[in-house]
Amino acid sequence: MLRSRSQFFSGVAPDTRPVREIVAEPPPSLQFHGGMADADQAPTIEGRTAHAKHGNAEFAEIECQRRKEAKAAGIDIGSFVVPSPPMQPFATEFPVKRFDNRAAFPSEVFAWLRGMRSSRILSSTVQRELEDENVHLIAGSGEELRVRELTQEGVRVAVGFQHDMPDDQGRTWRTEAVLRRGAIDAEQDVIRFRTQCLAKRPGAFLESPKKPFLIKALLKEGWGGIDGEIEVLDEPLWLEDDDEDVALAELILDGEASRWLPIIYVSATEGDRWLLTKDEIEKLAYDLGGVAHVVVEPNRQFSFRLKASCDGRNVYNGTLGIAMPHRGFIRRFFLGIRFPDVASIVGDIRAAAVGLRGFMPSVGWDWTEMQEHVLRNQRVALRGSLSESAADELFDDYNKQLNDLQEENRWLKEQRHSQAVTEIAAEERDPTTEGVFQGVIKEIYAGEMADRIRLAARTALTVAESNGIDGRSVAVWEGIVERVPRSTGLDELLADLERATKDPKRMANEVTAVLQRHGYHGKSENRHIRLEPDDGYHGLQNITVPKTPGEIRGLKNQRKQIERTLGISKLP
């Protein structure tokens, strides 16, 4: 049931490939700062204040005001350093297609560097220097490039690089990647990326790096492999309304559709649309290529089919969800108090996906792990020049220390991953059905729980004074009434019922179809259709729909009766 978003690429890369015309990558001071207009200018107080977070903005603002007051009084209080926000490295890994040509990956790396305006590391390098197994280049600006290749018995096991780019703000932007052969799947390789911002002088303003352009270049060239059931690309996977893709959506729900990357699932709204526009969905997939898959439902009918097959555990009605390998959905994103507009949803879901992928356990090698394997390989090569006992003692002592450190590092990574998933999943808590009240009862439409809680708060306020309710409770109820919005799912259900009761000839079939999507199943009985609530939809009553209704007024009465039975006629 493998689904691919492009034809599987096969073939061998040529030994010599011309430098592609790629979009020039901005220098690190521009690429990662995300707001500076001049790469040669150090960040101003205002610039740093704009980027400060987690309490730093408040500190910087106070300090700026203090400096202004001191300057007005003719007092020189010297310089100060705005504290740096917590810096999170960028990391991801994903499967790639196997290229038997050993020059394929280094050629991509060199093309990436040549397309970087600020890089000078390859300007005077001769070709033969780049063909060595161990390459170490240093430019006059301090830029460094290391390339290592590990071969065993004539077979390439891994190839990787580490690139350091200093800027004029006392920082070094480090990018590392290791391509490891057949990490789990013998038919595919795995590549792991890691970028980080390192301080080279006290007070340097550190920032979290963005995804390196090299990932985009690799995916554009067709390197993406198969992650479980989905191909790794930088474009969305548009599901089709068929049984095969419903089954794929169920795998996503259960956390079994991918092994390497999280999945952002975009559910459909009424009219076969989505909360995001098609361009916004494609932009999200492009930004998260190599970090997360973006999977899109075709229509609402698909959503209803999935809901029926998975007992209502799916995200629907425009909600976006993040599904993790082996865990399924851990977070949902929808318009409401937490996310008042689409832009806030897109920004948060992008950050959540990057954060989750960065903390996931790794199968590929980091640069340090590759160095370890290179050292082990050298141990075998040195056995002839050193006595066996001396070599064994030297390397065994080193390996023992290294293994202890790696075990501790592995444990810390697992703890960080577990904590990151828990924290992001904990943000799911919200004063609506998608939060603390989720699972209390099955909803007949998305947002029903929030609507009924708002009705309960509104009703309670009318009797609060006569029952001597305390002021705090009243304030909470007033906040719910004022701030919890009426759900779009309620408006859609009312509109569906109105459309279904317009044509007397089609009314029975149309009403039955609507109610079957909202917790009912039908049983035909002569001149009437009896609709009964599905299991788990407590509190609903049976609804009888005549197959041959009367005049138009009878249609309206029928609709009103259904609304009263569903308990939605009085929802504010």
Side-chain angles (χ1 to χ4, degrees):
M1 194 179 58
L2 175 67
R3 280 304 306 271
S4 171
R5 288 169 287 180
S6 69
Q7 185 176 5
F8 196 94
F9 177 84
S10 62
V12 178
D15 291 337
T16 303
R17 294 190 290 174
V19 178
R20 301 187 315 275
E21 293 183 5
I22 62 176
V23 178
E25 186 171 29
S29 54
L30 278 178
Q31 179 186 355
F32 298 104
H33 200 276
M36 289 184 61
D38 187 355
D40 297 324
Q41 180 181 356
T44 61
I45 298 300
E46 292 77 6
R48 293 191 177 191
T49 303
H51 286 80
K53 294 183 179 177
H54 305 293
N56 294 328
E58 182 178 0
F59 170 85
E61 187 173 339
I62 295 173
E63 189 65 19
C64 286
Q65 183 62 32
R66 184 173 71 91
R67 288 173 60 84
K68 289 179 181 179
E69 294 175 354
K71 184 177 180 180
I75 302 173
D76 183 10
I77 60 174
S79 61
F80 75 95
V81 176
V82 178
S84 298
M87 192 280 296
Q88 172 62 43
F90 170 89
T92 189
E93 67 180 31
F94 51 89
V96 294
K97 299 179 180 69
R98 173 158 297 173
F99 287 88
D100 293 328
N101 180 8
R102 60 187 294 266
F105 180 64
S107 296
E108 296 283 354
V109 175
F110 300 148
W112 167 62
L113 292 172
R114 291 189 177 101
M116 192 184 302
R117 289 197 305 267
S118 55
S119 176
R120 299 292 181 271
I121 197 70
L122 301 179
S123 58
S124 60
T125 304
V126 295
Q127 184 65 30
R128 64 175 180 274
E129 292 180 287
L130 302 179
E131 295 175 353
D132 294 338
E133 288 190 357
N134 296 325
V135 176
H136 185 194
L137 305 177
I138 303 177
S141 62
E143 180 185 3
E144 289 191 57
L145 173 66
R146 292 177 172 85
V147 181
R148 295 287 184 271
E149 183 177 291
L150 174 61
T151 58
Q152 294 177 348
E153 299 179 355
V155 178
R156 190 196 69 187
V157 176
V159 57
F161 76 91
Q162 181 185 77
H163 177 252
D164 285 353
M165 173 68 80
D167 64 15
D168 55 3
Q169 299 170 32
R171 307 173 299 190
T172 293
W173 298 93
R174 174 168 291 173
T175 302
E176 303 171 349
V178 176
L179 177 64
R180 181 184 174 191
R181 190 175 184 88
I184 289 182
D185 186 345
E187 301 299 321
Q188 298 188 121
D189 297 339
V190 61
I191 190 167
R192 179 163 181 81
F193 285 87
R194 179 181 174 87
T195 62
Q196 54 189 322
C197 178
L198 306 173
K200 292 302 181 181
R201 71 183 183 202
F205 185 75
L206 300 183
E207 301 174 64
S208 295
K210 296 180 181 178
K211 183 178 74 172
F213 189 85
L214 178 57
I215 296 179
K216 299 179 181 180
L218 290 175
L219 295 181
K220 182 180 179 181
E221 291 295 315
W223 280 68
I226 304 300
D227 178 17
E229 303 292 333
I230 306 173
E231 186 177 2
V232 180
L233 289 173
D234 57 0
E235 58 189 59
L237 171 55
W238 304 93
L239 298 179
E240 297 179 1
D241 193 1
D242 54 34
D243 293 340
E244 182 180 357
D245 279 2
V246 170
L248 175 58
E250 290 184 36
L251 291 178
I252 294 173
L253 182 69
D254 295 331
E256 298 177 0
S258 66
R259 300 163 59 183
W260 306 83
L261 302 180
I263 297 174
I264 297 177
Y265 189 88
V266 183
S267 64
T269 62
E270 194 66 30
D272 300 345
R273 299 178 181 176
W274 309 275
L275 195 62
L276 281 62
T277 65
K278 185 174 182 292
D279 289 343
E280 289 171 334
I281 293 174
E282 291 176 344
K283 177 66 164 58
L284 180 64
Y286 178 75
D287 291 342
L288 294 178
V291 177
H293 304 292
V294 176
V295 179
V296 190
E297 281 186 348
N299 49 52
R300 279 296 295 278
Q301 185 61 35
F302 181 96
S303 185
F304 290 127
R305 292 176 61 188
L306 179 60
K307 181 180 180 181
S309 64
C310 70
D311 198 26
R313 294 180 295 120
N314 60 312
V315 297
Y316 55 94
N317 195 36
T319 296
L320 284 75
I322 293 184
M324 292 292 292
H326 313 299
R327 296 188 61 142
F329 287 111
I330 65 167
R331 180 93 185 274
R332 293 165 173 79
F333 301 79
F334 53 93
L335 292 177
I337 296 175
R338 183 181 296 275
F339 304 110
D341 51 44
V342 172
S344 60
I345 289 181
V346 172
D348 204 77
I349 202 169
R350 183 188 290 113
V354 172
L356 284 169
R357 178 51 268 189
F359 282 115
M360 286 176 64
S362 62
V363 176
W365 288 348
D366 285 325
W367 175 255
T368 53
E369 291 177 287
M370 182 176 175
Q371 295 291 79
E372 174 205 349
H373 286 84
V374 170
L375 181 62
R376 292 179 186 273
N377 208 46
Q378 290 175 346
R379 172 187 181 180
V380 176
L382 288 173
R383 281 188 181 275
S385 58
L386 294 176
S387 67
E388 184 173 350
S389 59
D392 287 343
E393 182 179 356
L394 174 65
F395 284 103
D396 286 346
D397 182 63
Y398 168 80
N399 286 332
K400 181 180 183 304
Q401 297 181 45
L402 187 60
N403 289 336
D404 291 342
L405 290 173
Q406 285 185 334
E407 184 62 31
E408 181 179 0
N409 185 46
R410 188 177 300 109
W411 180 84
L412 289 173
K413 285 182 177 180
E414 292 176 355
Q415 291 295 105
R416 286 199 312 165
H417 168 61
S418 177
Q419 181 180 2
V421 174
T422 301
E423 288 176 353
I424 291 179
E427 295 180 14
E428 181 92 341
R429 300 191 182 98
D430 194 271
T432 67
T433 179
E434 295 295 339
V436 67
F437 295 104
Q438 185 179 15
V440 171
I441 197 171
K442 288 185 178 180
E443 292 187 308
I444 60 175
Y445 64 86
E448 179 194 6
M449 189 71 71
D451 289 338
R452 298 200 185 279
I453 291 172
R454 190 175 64 254
L455 173 62
R458 188 172 181 178
T459 303
L461 287 173
T462 62
V463 297
E465 185 175 354
S466 61
N467 285 274
I469 302 299
D470 62 278
R472 177 61 179 172
S473 296
V474 170
V476 171
W477 295 339
E478 289 176 343
I480 292 174
V481 172
E482 293 174 1
R483 298 194 59 193
V484 176
R486 175 189 175 101
S487 69
T488 57
L490 173 58
D491 293 330
E492 288 183 2
L493 176 55
L494 291 171
D496 287 344
L497 288 173
E498 185 174 2
R499 284 192 296 268
T501 53
K502 282 186 176 181
D503 187 347
K505 296 180 181 180
R506 303 176 57 185
M507 190 273 290
N509 291 334
E510 293 288 342
V511 168
T512 300
V514 170
L515 294 179
Q516 283 178 337
R517 297 198 301 262
H518 296 278
Y520 277 87
H521 61 274
K523 291 185 177 181
S524 180
E525 296 180 1
N526 298 326
R527 298 180 59 187
H528 298 83
I529 297 176
R530 185 183 182 190
L531 294 161
E532 299 176 348
D534 297 335
D535 293 338
Y537 289 88
H538 307 295
L540 292 179
Q541 303 299 320
N542 294 342
I543 295 176
T544 301
V545 181
K547 293 183 179 180
T548 55
E551 71 284 355
I552 298 299
R553 184 175 180 82
L555 295 177
K556 182 177 181 181
N557 290 337
Q558 180 72 35
R559 174 169 57 86
K560 293 295 184 182
Q561 179 59 43
I562 293 174
E563 292 174 0
R564 286 192 293 270
T565 303
L566 295 177
I568 60 178
S569 58
K570 293 185 178 181
L571 291 177

